[in-house]
């Protein structure tokens, strides 16, 4: 309780899934949140559930106008903005022969350009309210490839590069930037996926387990962590399974 008492966070894609868990956990730790999403009904309901320290705003991360409004709302409602969680994302797939240019542009726009636009819109407020923290959501698919996930994997690799540049560029103005790389998390994005063959813990994570990491990175407890890629995957990328059965 109270680890984020002085923090105001803007969470993209915060209406459901991991973003909603981040909103609940940040406010449970005393912070305030602006939840931005294209899912208006879910976002409004979540803000109402959380109460006085939450607001919802319609935010399409591909819109500069929506980002400007979301940053302005954080400042008008809560007085500052010092945490940005770039969480919104989509996952589409297909064979390389069939993955269309429109599909490619769509996923790059949301998963990568959306984060760039969010950082650009929030930076003046983050600098003004420093110490501040940017948390960009990548994936284990930002570290290793997977057949058929061309746009998703490319976007999530690129998020790590973007984050490193920002970490260097804003360090002397009190803004840290880190990437988190979740493995398989139990959200609507991967409903029906069986992980028992490839995850050493043979389970998906609960979104709240990722939210605990977001709280740590949002807080000043992590004040010397910047430019890092932080895996949270139950050991999935640690290596391969046993050569011999026990
Ligand atoms: P989710 O589908 O439950 O949530 C994604 C949210 O992003 C939704 O609320 C959706 O409405 C929102 N969104 C989509 N397009 C948007 C746009 N243009 N503007 C604003 N919001 C938009 O999925 P999730 O699993 O909670 O995913 C959250 C993030 O975590 C994503 O970036 C995803 O790529 C990443 N991730 C998920 C997993 C997983 O296993 N679930 C693993 C690694 C990384």
């Amino acid at each position: 309780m109270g680890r984020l008492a002085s923090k105001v966070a803007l969470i993209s894609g915060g209406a459901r899934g991991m973003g909603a868990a981040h909103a609940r956990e940040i406010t449970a730790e005393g912070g305030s949140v602006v939840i931005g999403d294209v899912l208006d009904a879910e976002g409004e309901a979540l803000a109402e559930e959380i109460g006085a320290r939450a607001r919802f705003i319609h935010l399409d991360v591909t819109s500069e106008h929506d980002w400007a409004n979301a940053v302005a709302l954080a400042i008008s409602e809560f007085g500052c903005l010092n945490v940005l969680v770039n969480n919104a994302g989509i996952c589409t797939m297909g064979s390389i022969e069939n993955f269309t240019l429109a599909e490619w542009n769509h996923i790059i726009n949301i998963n990568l350009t959306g984060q760039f636009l969010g950082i650009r819109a929030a930076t003046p407020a983050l600098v003004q309210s420093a110490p501040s923290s940017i948390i960009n959501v990548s994936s284990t698919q930002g570290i290793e490839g997977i057949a058929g996930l061309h746009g998703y994997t490319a976007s999530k690799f690129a998020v790590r590069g973007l984050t490193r540049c920002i970490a260097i560029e804003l360090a002397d103005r009190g803004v840290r930037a880190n990437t988190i790389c979740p493995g398989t998390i139990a959200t609507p994005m991967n409903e029906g996926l069986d992980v028992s063959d490839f995850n050493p813990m043979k389970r998906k994570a609960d979104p709240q387990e990722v939210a605990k990491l977001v709280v740590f990175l949002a807080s000043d407890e992590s004040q010397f962590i910047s430019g890092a890629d932080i895996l949270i995957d139950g050991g999935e990328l640690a290596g391969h399974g046993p050569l011999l059965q026990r």
Side-chain angles (χ1 to χ4, degrees):
M1 289 284 280
R3 293 160 70 201
L4 298 178
S6 59
K7 301 296 184 186
V8 178
L10 170 55
I11 305 172
S12 71
R16 72 171 194 197
M18 268 188 270
H22 303 335
R24 291 192 178 98
E25 207 62 29
I26 286 170
T27 48
E29 287 295 345
S32 302
V33 287
V34 171
I35 298 158
D37 207 302
V38 289
L39 299 177
D40 296 341
E42 288 90 333
E44 296 281 9
L46 178 63
E48 200 173 308
E49 172 208 308
I50 293 174
R53 277 187 281 108
R55 297 286 184 279
F56 173 76
I57 190 165
H58 181 89
L59 169 67
D60 178 340
V61 293
T62 65
S63 162
E64 292 180 87
H65 176 261
D66 285 2
W67 273 114
N69 285 345
V71 171
L73 184 72
I75 293 165
S76 65
E77 291 292 302
F78 301 120
C80 68
L81 177 68
N82 43 24
V83 177
L84 172 66
V85 186
N86 263 321
N87 164 79
I90 59 168
C91 184
T92 52
M93 60 188 84
S95 69
I96 194 64
E97 297 96 327
N98 295 322
F99 202 69
T100 65
L101 178 59
E103 286 173 312
W104 173 269
N105 286 338
H106 184 56
I107 196 165
I108 296 294
N109 271 340
I110 293 174
N111 290 8
L112 176 59
T113 310
Q115 294 203 8
F116 159 72
L117 292 176
I119 294 165
R120 211 181 53 176
T123 289
L126 294 171
V127 167
Q128 179 152 17
S129 312
S132 295
S133 174
I134 298 171
I135 300 150
N136 292 331
V137 180
S138 175
S139 167
T140 42
Q141 266 61 71
I143 294 182
E144 66 166 18
I146 188 162
L149 281 184
H150 314 101
Y152 188 76
T153 301
S155 70
K156 294 300 188 182
F157 266 73
V159 160
R160 294 169 52 225
L162 171 65
T163 309
R164 288 174 185 218
C165 296
I166 299 302
I168 300 163
E169 194 169 331
L170 299 183
D172 65 356
R173 286 182 274 168
V175 182
R176 299 180 292 111
N178 291 290
T179 307
I180 63 168
C181 300
T184 319
I185 317 300
T187 73
M189 186 174 276
N190 60 38
E191 248 164 18
L193 182 69
D194 180 5
V195 301
S196 55
D197 279 350
F198 60 84
N199 188 287
M201 294 191 184
K202 304 205 181 304
R203 70 172 178 92
K204 297 176 189 174
D206 186 278
Q208 200 189 9
E209 296 178 273
V210 183
K212 301 266 183 210
L213 173 61
V214 166
V215 164
F216 171 66
L217 290 173
S219 80
D220 298 335
E221 294 162 17
S222 56
Q223 63 191 3
F224 202 55
I225 302 177
S226 197
D229 304 321
I230 302 175
L231 266 171
I232 175 160
D233 70 344
E236 192 179 313
L237 295 197
H240 299 285
L243 293 176
L244 301 170
Q245 293 303 323
R246 279 181 289 203

